[in-house]
Each structure stands twice: as structure tokens, then as C-alpha cells.
Amino acid sequence: MVAAVLQSSSTWYPLVVLLIGIVCVVGLIIAVRLNAFIALVTSAMIVSLLSPGPLAERISRVADAFGSAAGKIGIVIAMAAVIGKCLMDSGAADRIVRSLFRVLGEKRAPLALLSSGFVLGVPVFFDTVFYLLVPLARSLWKNTRKNYILYVLSIGSGAAITHTLVPPTPGPLLIAAEFHVHLGTMMLVGGMIGMATAIAIIPVCKLMNRLIDVPMRPYPGEEDMEPLADDQLPPLWLSLLPIVLPVVMISSDTIVKTLVTRYEGNQALLSAAKVTAILGNANLSLLVAGAVSMAILMHYRNLTFAQLAHASETALMSGGMIILITAGGGAFGAMLREAGVSQSIETLTGSGGQNIGLALLVLGFAIASVMKVAQGSSTVAMIVAAGMMASMAASNPSGVFEGLKSMLGCHPVYLCTSIGAGSLVGCWMNDSGFWIYSRMSALTEVESLKSWSIILVVIGFFGLGFSLLFARLLPLV
């Protein structure tokens, strides 16, 4: 009897530690109002202290895990922040948007706005994309006197989709690293699922526009910024270069590695793989793209080196906090694995987690959704959900990637996209993105809840649905 109780206790104890960790993260962020980084690191230390191992190592391993996570994503996030800043300040982002409008026309303005948000959301953070594109929505309303909600929802939807599905934005980048998914694979699959979701969401935006007829309101005491003239903007090919270049470089490594696996012994492919392994490194590709974007900014705005340095420093300060939060989340996930969560789940399922299949995609989606509702940040929701899901496969002798692939029956990239989709569900007043949408669109809180909060729920479930569909039709195993 005593032995049975002890065995049961040892099985359930790691799950109790997991619950304590979740309560700590959510409580510190919501109740105590601590910064997400401090909350994550504090929770990681609490989980580590409650986990097995020498007492002297229980704090130091948090720092080790933090450093490991920062090493994987630090340079990429920093350079993504610089690229986004340079695209805005140089006028390259404006050129991309205007070109889309010329191709699609005013009648397809919602598609043009959604496409602009989708493309710019890859290298530029959500709030920046929304700041950039909202003046276009307001200008369109002045000309048409209709469809204002449709315009702002199209902008936000496109930016939100890539913000949660396509690296180098921090959330997708972190979960790809957590599951050891190649960055090129995450970009390609996240982009495919994102495009399918974006196409499916347009009719929903139009429906909500009919249900919520709200006119554009002027900003109190503010004047709209005057846009730059066309001749002051970089050409389209140059504007797209900082976005396309890293995608091509990273994807080339993924494609060549796939071909090497399929055609073993091919010397030409083996030689190419040595080159693409360098060019396709995420740190190098984003560094090159960052250099290109800075050169564009310097040339088209006639900046001195000192002015360019100031612009870069401004971008890096905003990216620094994202790096801290992301790496803190990585440390939190690592400590959950130290607690032995995976072994407990294996014991309770009685099968090492085998044959759970696509239900794990839904589980990842659900965890991210709950975390989003609880604390507001999509990035933090993705970080916590990824740490929990990775802990389930941490004891696999072949590693987390192989463990998850065996449990899922498909490539772990689909778990990444399911978690990303879940991190959109539940946007309300505790989310900074909610206030960006509300204030920049000049909408009331109730109008924002009826439009923005609901459309993100729909986007999230579309993203999950397409993740399940692609995992079934294109499992990549």
C-alpha cells in the first residue's frame, strides 16, 4: 500500500510542479504586474528548485538554459528589429504597399492591405506594421466613405498571421528552436499555412464589416502624417530584397539537405550542401539582410554614419526586451523538462506517448490559447506552450525532434503552427495588440472586442484546421 502511494506520488509530482510553474507565470504577470521576463525567470527558478538534481545546480542550470536559448535566437531577433526599422524609415515598406495597390486596384483594396500586412509581418513586428498601414486604411475611407472595419481588419489579420506563424518573428523562431525544427522548414510550412489562412479569412472580414458599420473617426488633436512622394521611395525590387534575401538563403539550405538525403552519394549535392550550410545559417542570412536594409536607409534618406547608428540602436533597444522574454521562456521550458514531466506523461499514458497522433496538435493549440487569455502576449503564450509540449518528448533517446515526430506521426513543424495559431485566440484588454488596434483605428473598446477579438478567434481556428489538414496530407515523415 505504501509502495503504491509512493509510486503514484512520484508519477504525479512532476505534474504538480508543472501546475505550480503555470500558476507562477500567470500570477506574476497578471496579479503582481511583473514584466514577462522577470516572471518567466522567477518561475523557471521555482520549478528548478522543486525539480530533482544537486541543490547547488538548481539555480545555475536556469542561467545555462537561458544562455542556450538566447544563443539560438538573439542575433536573429536583433537583426529582424533592425530590418523592420530600416524598411519603415527608408520608405521601402511604403513602396511595397503602394505597388500592391497598383497591381490589385482599389476594388481589391482589402486584399492589398491584407497582403501588405502579411508580407511586412515577416520581418517587422505587428505593432510597427499596423502603425505603418493604418494611414492607408484611413485614406481609403476618405475616398470611399465605406468599409472602414474591413480595411483595418485586413491589415491586422495579415500582420497577425505571419507574426505567429513565420520566423524571424520571436514566437515562431523560439518554438522552432524548442522543437529543433529547421528554420527553413518553419518558414516554408508556416508560410503555406499562413497563406491558406489569409485567403480563408477575407470573406470573414467582409462579413464582419457588414455586421459592424463603423465610420472612421479623427484622432483627437492629431494630424495625419504626410506620405513620401513616389520619387523619394526605393524601387520595388530593392525594397523587397531585405525580405526575400534571408528567405532564399535559409530555404536553399533546407532544399539542398532534402536532396542530399534523397540522392545519397551525389558529389555535386554534397559540395553544394557545404556552401548552403554557411549561406543558409539564420544568423548570417539575417545579418546580410540587415546590412542591405541599412544601406538602403542610408542611401535614400541621406543619413550619416552617426544617424544610421542611432536608428540601429533604437531598433535594437526594442528587440532587446523581446530577446530577454524569449530566452526567459526557453529557460522556463527547460526547467519543466528537468522536473520530469515527460516521464510522468509516459507513465500515465502507458505507451510512452505513442499513438497520441494529431490530438497533440490540438493540445498545443489549447495550451497556447489558455496562456493567451491569461496573460495577453502571443509570444509568451507560444513560449510556455512550446516548453510544455517539448517536455513530453524530452526523454526520447533520439532527442525532442524525433520524440515528437514519433508521437505525432507527422513533422513537428505542424505542432509549431498549431501553437502559433492558438496564441491568437483570446485577445482582449490585457494584450498590447488589442490597444494598438483600438487606438490606432480610433475605435471604442466594445467595437474592438466585437471586431478584432472575434476575427483573431476565427484566424486561430483556421490556422489549426489547416495545420491538421496539412499534417494529414503532407506529413513530411
Side-chain angles (χ1 to χ4, degrees):
M1 180 70 176
V2 175
V5 171
L6 289 174
Q7 183 177 359
S8 175
S9 176
S10 64
T11 300
W12 286 98
Y13 178 74
L15 300 182
V16 173
V17 175
L18 172 63
L19 179 61
I20 291 171
I22 297 173
V23 171
C24 286
V25 171
V26 176
L28 289 173
I29 292 175
I30 295 179
V32 186
R33 301 289 182 182
L34 277 182
N35 177 274
F37 163 69
I38 299 174
L40 285 165
V41 171
T42 302
S43 301
M45 290 185 176
I46 292 172
V47 170
S48 184
L49 287 170
L50 296 173
S51 302
L55 186 60
E57 295 179 5
R58 295 186 189 184
I59 297 300
S60 62
R61 65 189 178 192
V62 175
D64 292 340
F66 175 86
S68 176
K72 292 176 183 176
I73 47 83
I75 295 175
V76 176
I77 291 178
M79 294 314 302
V82 171
I83 292 169
K85 172 75 172 171
C86 292
L87 286 176
M88 278 189 57
D89 291 357
S90 66
D94 203 3
R95 169 64 74 190
I96 294 169
V97 173
R98 294 187 193 185
S99 299
L100 279 170
F101 270 93
R102 289 194 184 96
V103 171
L104 297 174
E106 189 173 303
K107 290 184 178 180
R108 298 187 180 88
L111 178 60
L113 289 171
L114 188 141
S115 302
S116 301
F118 188 93
V119 172
L120 294 176
V122 176
V124 183
F125 296 139
F126 171 84
D127 54 349
T128 306
V129 175
F130 206 77
Y131 290 146
L132 172 69
L133 296 182
V134 160
L136 291 175
R138 298 174 69 83
S139 177
L140 275 169
W141 187 88
K142 289 177 182 177
N143 293 329
T144 62
R145 294 290 167 173
K146 60 183 180 181
N147 299 331
Y148 182 62
I149 288 293
L150 175 59
Y151 296 150
V152 294
L153 283 182
S154 298
I155 293 169
S157 297
I161 288 168
T162 46
H163 178 75
T164 53
L165 294 177
V166 185
T169 47
L173 188 69
L174 186 280
I175 54 179
E178 187 76 41
F179 299 148
H180 303 282
V181 172
H182 191 276
L183 197 56
T185 304
M186 184 67 201
M187 282 182 168
L188 292 172
V189 175
M192 288 192 301
I193 292 175
M195 289 181 66
T197 303
I199 292 170
I201 204 63
I202 293 176
V204 183
C205 291
K206 292 180 178 179
L207 174 62
M208 295 189 68
N209 181 67
R210 289 198 294 269
L211 296 174
I212 308 171
D213 185 15
V214 177
M216 185 198 80
R217 305 182 183 102
Y219 294 134
E222 292 186 14
E223 296 182 3
D224 292 336
M225 293 178 61
E226 288 295 325
L228 294 170
D230 270 3
D231 58 4
Q232 294 178 287
L233 304 179
L236 179 61
W237 69 269
L238 192 58
S239 300
L240 286 170
L241 191 59
I243 301 173
V244 175
L245 188 60
V247 174
V248 171
M249 291 175 69
I250 294 171
S251 299
S252 67
D253 187 39
T254 304
I255 294 169
V256 171
K257 281 182 176 178
T258 303
L259 293 174
V260 167
T261 303
R262 179 168 296 183
Y263 304 103
E264 295 182 10
N266 187 301
Q267 293 302 315
L269 287 174
L270 290 172
S271 299
K274 294 178 181 178
V275 177
T276 57
I278 298 173
L279 296 178
N281 180 277
N283 295 324
L284 177 63
S285 60
L286 266 293
L287 188 64
V288 172
V292 172
S293 66
M294 286 190 287
I296 295 171
L297 173 61
M298 193 171 183
H299 176 74
Y300 281 89
R301 299 281 79 82
N302 296 318
L303 301 185
T304 64
F305 282 108
Q307 291 170 323
L308 179 64
H310 177 72
S312 302
E313 287 167 5
T314 302
L316 290 171
M317 282 190 287
S318 65
M321 181 53 67
I322 300 295
I323 294 171
L324 287 174
I325 294 173
T326 306
F332 179 65
M335 294 310 101
L336 289 176
R337 291 194 292 275
E338 292 286 349
V341 174
S342 59
Q343 293 88 337
S344 293
I345 292 174
E346 289 173 5
T347 302
L348 292 172
T349 58
S351 60
Q354 300 298 319
N355 302 319
I356 296 177
L358 299 184
L360 279 179
L361 302 186
V362 179
L363 178 60
F365 173 89
I367 293 173
S369 299
V370 171
M371 289 302 304
K372 171 68 171 181
V373 173
Q375 51 76 48
S377 168
S378 291
T379 301
V380 173
M382 283 186 270
I383 289 168
V384 175
M388 293 180 191
M389 299 304 292
S391 68
M392 296 181 182
S395 63
N396 190 288
S398 300
V400 171
F401 179 86
E402 291 298 329
L404 285 173
K405 186 166 70 171
S406 175
M407 295 164 68
L408 294 167
C410 63
H411 198 289
V413 70
Y414 295 114
L415 182 56
C416 296
T417 57
S418 298
I419 290 173
S423 71
L424 290 172
V425 177
C427 174
W428 59 297
M429 278 82 160
N430 65 348
D431 179 11
S432 61
F434 175 89
W435 295 108
I436 289 168
Y437 171 87
S438 176
R439 293 297 176 261
M440 291 300 297
S441 303
L443 299 175
T444 67
E445 287 82 357
V446 173
E447 290 165 349
S448 299
L449 286 169
K450 289 180 177 179
S451 58
W452 183 237
S453 299
I454 292 176
I455 201 70
L456 286 183
V457 172
V458 178
I459 292 173
F461 277 95
F462 275 166
L464 173 63
F466 284 117
S467 296
L468 293 171
L469 180 63
F470 278 66
R472 180 65 68 185
L473 299 179
L474 191 66
L476 301 178
V477 293

